[in-house]
Amino acid sequence: MHNFIPIARSTRETWSGPWMRRGVSVVLAAGCLLLGACHKTPTAGGKEDAPGKQSAAAKEVAADKEKAEGVTLTPEQVEKLGVSTQAALVIDYSEETAGFGVVVSHDTIAQAAAELATAKATERLSRSTLSRTKKLDGTPGAMSADVEENAAQKAEVDAAALVLTQQRLSSTLGMKPPWKSNEKDAILQELAGGKIKLVRVTFPLGALSGGTPASLRAAHIGAKQGTGWKLDVVWDAPADASVPGRSFFALLKSSDAGEGERLQVWAPIGEPTSGVVIPVAAAVMSEAKYWCYVEKKPGTFERVEIDTTKPTPDGYFVTERVTAGDKVVTTAAGQLLAKESASGAEPD
């Protein structure tokens, strides 16, 4: 016969008592509080911000801050700083490919021009002598047949010498020079006298895919980007045996390039793009970037980032942020940057 232990009954009754129910309620309440503390409050949009991502509101604030970059001055401050502006001008810009050129010594051209003049004069004299000899045929002053034959032979020889001189000149100065075959042509005489310089340019193989460039840009080797001279008269030149590539001749006027000097030369490639030019004096550097100031309204100067990778002889070509007619600050831009930074220090 089995015996039941009395404590078992007592324990079962104890767990089913009223105070036990109160204890369970307290535990449940504490758990709810812990769960509420662990729950993250959602954003205004009803969703939590993803880690590492900037909220839309923060982006708007940053954008507004970026737009607000600039400085506002009173008319007295503008006058004191000496701020002046210039309207942004529209230009067409083309990508360029680089080559090398050399300024041809003018004595080479003078020698070729002198040879051409001599050959033409000799040919004219021979032709005139032969013409007079033939006119005397049948008259008392007629020349003998031998004399007439010698005159005819000399005329032919001198004519052949003239052709050879012209061909030699074309091998020196190209097949299609920008002057006539007259030895008194003004351009040829200015080249022979050194008043105009002749530049022989060679571009690497494959650098130019089209025909003869309409113009070139040349500068001293190592010169500042965007500087140099424009060469508007360009024609084909014989190939350079020492440098593989395509060669051209060009006329260089009003420059300080010396004869025999090597130059850096650029030719435009591709279709031109329309934009505006920012003067070099307008560019300032801050935070490893280039900027300029644009006067959006009187006394308010907005700092605008510019791209300086496309230099021109007049400044930097840009297609964004600055439009035609915008008033670009060309003097005291550095002072505006220092005033905006509130440091009083000079710009980089």
Side-chain angles (χ1 to χ4, degrees), residues 107-294:
D107 60 351
T108 303
I109 305 173
Q111 179 69 29
E115 291 177 355
L116 176 62
T118 301
K120 284 193 171 184
T122 303
E123 189 272 340
R124 281 197 300 268
L125 179 59
S126 298
R127 185 160 30 88
S128 177
T129 300
L130 177 60
S131 176
R132 286 198 304 271
T133 301
K134 288 184 176 181
K135 287 180 180 179
L136 292 175
D137 287 345
T139 66
M143 299 293 180
S144 64
D146 292 342
V147 173
E148 185 174 343
E149 289 177 358
N150 289 335
Q153 181 187 16
K154 189 175 187 310
E156 291 182 4
V157 170
D158 290 341
L162 174 60
V163 172
L164 178 61
T165 303
Q166 291 173 332
Q167 292 175 345
R168 191 175 294 165
L169 182 65
S170 65
S171 66
T172 303
L173 301 176
M175 294 294 293
K176 298 179 180 179
W179 58 77
K180 300 177 181 179
S181 59
N182 188 349
E183 73 276 6
K184 294 183 180 180
D185 186 274
I187 296 179
L188 181 58
Q189 293 306 312
E190 287 181 329
L191 284 171
K195 297 179 180 179
I196 299 178
K197 294 181 175 66
L198 181 69
V199 181
R200 182 190 179 96
V201 184
T202 300
F203 291 96
L205 288 173
L208 295 175
S209 57
T212 303
S215 64
L216 300 173
R217 183 170 62 87
H220 298 294
I221 293 179
K224 187 177 180 180
Q225 284 188 323
T227 61
W229 317 280
K230 187 175 182 181
L231 291 70
D232 291 323
V233 182
V234 185
W235 68 97
D236 290 327
D240 189 343
S242 60
V243 181
R246 190 172 178 188
S247 299
F248 302 94
F249 282 127
L251 298 182
L252 179 58
K253 303 177 181 179
S254 302
S255 74
D256 60 351
E259 294 185 359
E261 180 181 357
R262 293 193 175 274
L263 304 175
Q264 182 79 52
V265 184
W266 295 268
I269 56 176
E271 294 296 327
T273 303
S274 181
V276 299
V277 61
I278 304 297
V280 175
V284 292
M285 188 176 182
S286 176
E287 301 174 354
K289 296 179 180 179
Y290 285 92
W291 311 79
C292 74
Y293 281 91
V294 178

Side-chain angles (χ1 to χ4, degrees), residues 60-79:
E60 291 179 0
V61 171
D64 292 339
K65 183 178 179 182
E66 183 178 354
K67 290 179 182 179
E69 288 180 328
V71 62
T72 300
L73 303 176
T74 63
E76 292 77 13
Q77 290 174 318
V78 171
E79 183 178 359

Side-chain angles (χ1 to χ4, degrees), residues 309-328:
T309 60
K310 298 176 180 178
T312 72
D314 300 319
Y316 303 106
F317 174 79
V318 298
T319 58
E320 298 177 346
R321 301 182 180 91
V322 182
T323 57
D326 283 352
K327 295 182 178 180
V328 179

